[in-house]
Amino acid sequence: MEINGVKIQDTFAEGFGIKVSRLIITAATKHLAKIAATEATGFATSVIGCPAEAGIDQYVPPTESPDGRPGYAIMICHMSKKALGGQIMDRIGQCVLTAPTAAAFNALDSEEAFPTGKQLKFFGDGFETEKDVNGKKMHVIPIMSGEFLVEDEMGWKDGVAGGNFFIMGDSQMTSIVAAEAAVDAIHAVAGVITPFSGGMVASGSKTGSKYSFMSASTNEKECVTLKDQVETELPENVFGNMEIVIDGVDEESVKAAMKAGIEAACQVPGVIEIGAGNYGGSLGPYQIHLQDLF
């Protein structure tokens, strides 16, 4: 299979289950909302070494936000329900409560939720109150600059992490440009994030290692500098390789994001092949076949 002359490998991305939350962070201006959302999703590329996986999903214009102000939908993910609840509390309490004019709303329809707002309200030290914002129960916490509003509960559900694809190009910059185009396209899909830096994974990994103390290590078969040293999976004319990793609220959202990202990447001159990472079922139960997306 080819798209715009780019070969789509007959392979699959191997995903795994994860607990997912989705919030909307609003503020007085788009700029302030983006700052708060960015702070709340920091140090969260991979649960291999970070306390969570998190990222900005989409911009939410005032006409669509809960309080009529500009905002950003963010997602926070973790393998553990308990750890996810703690991460939501920490990230809202430390990064959003402290951000100028920010407010935090639940943005996930789910059967289960964390009591984030009803716990965070105690920061108000007895001066906290409640109000309704378009049908949402909000806790109002007085702060030095005014008031901070946080919704009573933040929903969570079982989602899918580890959707991925590789962009193989004739140079490093080709793969980077194509990856940027892919991430831009993915941002148009609701309910997904690309948690790594700029949405791109420069150091794609595999499960396991020659070293017993490492749970993950470099994916040597996909390294452009090791083509003459290992049983490489890269074509001879590939000198750049970039991975995109996607977390989503469900498998269909991840598939839609992968499709959009791959289509965008294939429009960039110099892209040679699209592949994906899988590990024989050792990582997770979701197998998203690239060619089936089209």
Side-chain angles (χ1 to χ4, degrees), residues 22-24 73-74 105-109 136 151 153-155:
R22 189 170 186 265
L23 295 67
I24 293 177
I74 68 170
F105 297 85
N106 174 50
L108 188 66
D109 291 329
K136 291 178 173 288
E151 191 162 349
E153 294 184 327
M154 299 295 176

Side-chain angles (χ1 to χ4, degrees), residues 121-195:
K121 71 179 182 181
F122 295 112
F123 182 75
D125 200 27
F127 297 99
E128 65 274 4
T129 57
E130 294 180 9
K131 71 182 297 186
D132 179 275
V133 176
N134 291 322
K136 291 178 173 288
K137 180 181 178 181
M138 308 295 295
H139 295 280
V140 182
I141 301 172
I143 56 177
M144 287 176 62
S145 62
E147 294 178 335
F148 173 71
L149 273 67
V150 56
E151 191 162 349
D152 186 55
E153 294 184 327
M154 299 295 176
W156 71 273
K157 67 186 292 289
D158 290 321
V160 176
N164 72 84
F165 57 92
F166 302 151
I167 302 172
M168 306 173 194
D170 59 9
S171 71
Q172 183 186 70
M173 285 309 301
T174 292
S175 293
I176 290 174
V177 171
E180 288 179 332
V183 171
D184 286 344
I186 289 169
H187 281 167
V189 180
V192 296
I193 56 172
T194 52

Side-chain angles (χ1 to χ4, degrees), residues 55-279:
I56 294 176
D57 179 354
Q58 291 184 313
Y59 170 63
V60 181
T63 53
E64 300 175 15
S65 77
D67 60 359
R69 304 189 304 167
Y72 283 87
I74 68 170
M75 288 171 51
I76 304 171
C77 313
H78 204 285
M79 305 294 291
S80 159
K81 171 188 171 182
K82 180 179 179 181
L84 176 59
Q87 281 295 303
I88 294 172
M89 173 63 75
D90 290 347
R91 290 170 185 270
I92 293 179
Q94 297 299 309
C95 303
V96 186
L97 170 65
T98 59
T101 75
F105 297 85
N106 174 50
L108 188 66
D109 291 329
S110 61
E111 295 182 357
E112 298 189 71
F114 298 109
T116 309
K118 60 169 55 88
Q119 292 177 347
L120 192 57
K121 71 179 182 181
F122 295 112
F123 182 75
D125 200 27
F127 297 99
E128 65 274 4
T129 57
E130 294 180 9
K131 71 182 297 186
D132 179 275
V133 176
N134 291 322
K136 291 178 173 288
K137 180 181 178 181
M138 308 295 295
H139 295 280
V140 182
I141 301 172
I143 56 177
M144 287 176 62
S145 62
E147 294 178 335
F148 173 71
L149 273 67
V150 56
E151 191 162 349
D152 186 55
E153 294 184 327
M154 299 295 176
W156 71 273
K157 67 186 292 289
D158 290 321
V160 176
N164 72 84
F165 57 92
F166 302 151
I167 302 172
M168 306 173 194
D170 59 9
S171 71
Q172 183 186 70
M173 285 309 301
T174 292
S175 293
I176 290 174
V177 171
E180 288 179 332
V183 171
D184 286 344
I186 289 169
H187 281 167
V189 180
V192 296
I193 56 172
T194 52
F196 285 81
S197 302
M200 299 175 280
V201 189
S203 59
S205 62
K206 67 178 185 298
T207 56
S209 168
K210 294 178 180 179
Y211 302 106
S212 60
F213 53 85
M214 294 289 290
S215 61
S217 59
T218 192
N219 191 349
E220 72 277 2
K221 293 182 179 180
E222 297 289 340
C223 291
V224 295
T225 59
L226 298 179
K227 287 192 293 183
D228 59 349
Q229 299 179 47
V230 301
E231 186 180 341
T232 186
E233 295 183 353
L234 297 175
E236 186 176 336
N237 57 343
V238 165
F239 297 95
N241 195 12
M242 198 66 61
E243 183 179 9
I244 305 292
V245 168
I246 301 163
D247 295 344
V249 295
D250 52 38
E251 186 177 7
E252 292 309 309
S253 298
V254 173
K255 286 181 177 179
M258 288 178 59
K259 181 175 187 292
I262 291 171
E263 288 177 331
C266 288
Q267 306 309 309
V268 176
V271 174
I272 295 168
E273 288 192 16
I274 301 292
N278 58 74
Y279 312 96

Side-chain angles (χ1 to χ4, degrees), residues 34-70:
K34 181 113 181 241
I35 289 174
T38 301
E39 291 291 338
T41 55
F43 189 47
T45 59
S46 170
V47 290
I48 292 175
C50 296
E53 294 187 8
I56 294 176
D57 179 354
Q58 291 184 313
Y59 170 63
V60 181
T63 53
E64 300 175 15
S65 77
D67 60 359
R69 304 189 304 167

